[in-house]
Amino acid sequence: MKLQPDKYDVPTVTGYGPDWIGLDGEKIHRSVVVGSRGERFDFDCTSWAELSDNHLAPLVACRPELVVLGSGAKLRFPHPARAAHLAGHGIGLETMDTAAACRTFNILAGEGRHVLAILLIGIS
């Protein structure tokens, strides 16, 4: 009995490495936001310390139910004010390393959830 389709009809992370993310076979070498409804845009934040609500505004505009934050090679948590900002708009936030965020995004998107993933590369 087959329980899953061979290919989901949503964007899919097809690979990842320390300085790249594969999205539907394309290698991307910069931080990116990808969404289960086809959203995709650069995430223009180069320093963990500068992460602000302004960086989250385009995500809020997409109205996802959840944002998965891939914090890079190691697990780092944003300032609690960032989570509170998203929560104020009814959006959940889960933080994990980028590799785990890629896998989690694929699972949630494949389930039909409206999810966005911030996949950070090279942020200090």
Side-chain angles (χ1 to χ4, degrees):
M1 175 190 307
K2 189 172 190 173
L3 298 176
Q4 299 186 98
D6 290 331
K7 172 74 173 103
Y8 295 117
D9 290 329
V10 295
T12 305
V13 178
T14 54
Y16 50 85
D19 63 347
W20 62 277
I21 301 291
L23 291 176
D24 291 321
E26 176 187 354
K27 262 191 178 177
I28 298 172
H29 295 274
R30 63 194 176 284
S31 297
V32 65
V33 174
V34 61
S36 59
R37 294 188 179 166
E39 305 94 341
R40 181 170 152 190
F41 47 91
D42 290 345
F43 192 72
D44 191 24
C45 182
T46 58
S47 166
W48 194 256
E50 79 177 32
L51 182 62
S52 71
D53 291 346
N54 290 336
H55 292 103
L56 301 177
L59 286 76
V60 170
C62 293
R63 308 299 299 169
E65 58 186 282
L66 179 68
V67 171
V68 177
L69 172 58
S71 63
K74 63 181 182 176
L75 180 59
R76 295 180 70 177
F77 292 94
H79 190 281
R82 303 298 77 81
H85 176 74
L86 291 173
H89 292 278
I91 301 168
L93 176 67
E94 291 292 333
T95 303
M96 54 198 74
D97 66 52
T98 296
C102 290
R103 296 186 300 270
T104 301
F105 171 79
N106 283 349
I107 291 167
L108 295 174
E111 290 177 347
R113 306 268 307 269
H114 186 199
V115 60
L116 295 177
I118 305 170
L119 304 174
L120 299 179
I121 296 176
I123 192 169
S124 57

